[in-house]
Amino acid sequence: MKKLKKLFTFACLCGLGYVCSQLLRRDDVQDKLFEVMGEDRYIAANNLVHLLGDLLMWPVDFVRALLP
């Protein structure tokens, strides 16, 4: 049961990273964040969110690559 909880938590984190990554790709969200945060902070935050999304989604991408 504990392994199932860990797997479910990991899946939720993967989904959350993916949603954040997709949300930051929208133009209106990017414009608002750029105005509030400034250029340097915005670029650093954007890179960090994309990196976290990629790190959390690598197992899903790996399994997708194995499927025919």
Side-chain angles (χ1 to χ4, degrees):
M1 194 64 150
K2 286 186 178 186
K3 288 184 180 182
L4 186 61
K5 283 184 180 180
K6 287 181 182 180
L7 182 64
F8 181 72
T9 303
F10 184 70
C12 288
L13 287 175
C14 289
L16 184 63
Y18 180 75
V19 167
C20 288
S21 175
Q22 292 298 318
L23 189 64
L24 283 178
R25 290 184 183 165
R26 294 183 53 189
D27 289 334
D28 56 340
V29 173
Q30 287 181 356
D31 291 340
K32 287 179 184 177
L33 284 174
F34 189 78
E35 290 174 7
V36 171
M37 298 175 73
E39 184 176 1
D40 294 334
R41 288 188 197 165
Y42 168 75
I43 292 172
N46 195 11
N47 288 338
L48 179 66
V49 169
H50 285 289
L51 176 65
L52 289 175
D54 289 341
L55 288 175
L56 290 174
M57 287 301 291
W58 79 263
V60 175
D61 294 334
F62 180 74
V63 170
R64 282 185 190 165
L66 292 178
L67 295 174

